[in-house]
Amino acid sequence: MSTDTQKPKLIHESLNKLPQTVRFGAQGVIGNVLFLVLYNLAVGYFEDEYAASTIYSLVFFCYIPVGHAISSMLVFGWPTPYLPSLLKNYPIGLTSMALGAFTTAYLDDVHFNESCEDFIRAHLEFIAPMSTDEDEKGEFYSSLLVSVITGVWSYALSVWVNSSSQKNTTSDDKKEL
């Protein structure tokens, strides 16, 4: 078996030169930035109607296929067939969503975002936002913390699920020989 067949089918073959952990980190940054933009847009539109944890859950549920596609293109390779791989990875997204929703609700209850803003205003004035408009509510600091927590969770589970499926495919190929 040649080494080319063992390399994952990424969006560009030069990505195979980077270690998987580096690619996963890059995917995490891209995925989290995209998710945070979508989530904060949704909070801006729906914060008066729904709890932050509900908004988080709905945005995350819709984002799972997008995140899986980005992960497939940058980290693990495009799976063939795609749908079974997505379905196998959906529980990772669902458990991450539950963890994120619980954490978001908790951080909202303890006013984490407001505490961070107060801390920055009191101790780091040089980076404090110029505007202190109380009507402009956001979840930026909470979103960052939730992203870190769910990112670590997703990384561990994704490597476990997707690496084991690659090993099974490799061992199945060897059995056919």
Side-chain angles (χ1 to χ4, degrees):
M1 189 182 296
S2 73
T3 57
D4 290 337
T5 58
Q6 293 178 350
K7 291 182 182 178
K9 296 176 189 173
L10 303 176
I11 194 167
H12 194 276
E13 64 187 39
S14 65
L15 290 172
N16 280 310
K17 295 177 184 175
L18 296 173
Q20 186 181 46
T21 53
V22 171
R23 296 191 315 259
F24 198 92
Q27 175 268 329
V29 169
I30 293 167
N32 278 320
V33 166
L34 180 59
F35 175 78
L36 287 174
V37 166
L38 295 173
Y39 172 66
N40 282 300
L41 284 172
V43 166
Y45 285 111
F46 302 113
E47 70 183 334
D48 295 333
E49 299 171 40
Y50 301 101
S53 58
T54 302
I55 297 169
Y56 176 89
S57 296
L58 291 172
V59 172
F60 199 99
F61 185 79
C62 295
Y63 182 78
I64 290 172
V66 175
H68 179 260
I70 293 170
S71 180
S72 295
M73 291 187 290
L74 297 178
V75 182
F76 298 107
W78 196 259
T80 305
Y82 179 77
L83 190 58
S85 174
L86 174 61
L87 294 176
K88 186 171 63 173
N89 282 271
Y90 231 88
I92 296 169
L94 293 175
T95 57
S96 182
M97 178 179 64
L99 178 63
F102 170 78
T103 307
T104 300
Y106 174 75
L107 295 175
D108 200 37
D109 286 345
V110 299
H111 305 285
F112 178 78
N113 209 66
E114 292 84 357
S115 297
C116 288
E117 289 172 353
D118 291 344
F119 178 84
I120 290 172
R121 273 191 222 99
H123 302 289
L124 304 169
E125 293 177 19
F126 60 94
I127 63 170
M130 297 298 281
S131 171
T132 57
D133 186 8
E134 293 298 322
D135 292 337
E136 189 175 311
K137 185 179 176 188
E139 299 290 329
F140 180 74
Y141 301 107
S142 298
S143 297
L144 286 178
L145 182 57
V146 170
S147 292
V148 169
I149 292 168
T150 58
V152 170
W153 175 260
S154 296
Y155 173 75
L157 291 179
S158 293
V159 169
W160 180 57
V161 167
N162 292 304
S163 295
S164 66
S165 69
Q166 289 174 351
K167 288 177 187 173
N168 290 341
T169 303
T170 306
S171 63
D172 289 345
D173 291 343
K174 290 179 181 177
K175 289 178 186 175
E176 290 179 14
L177 294 175

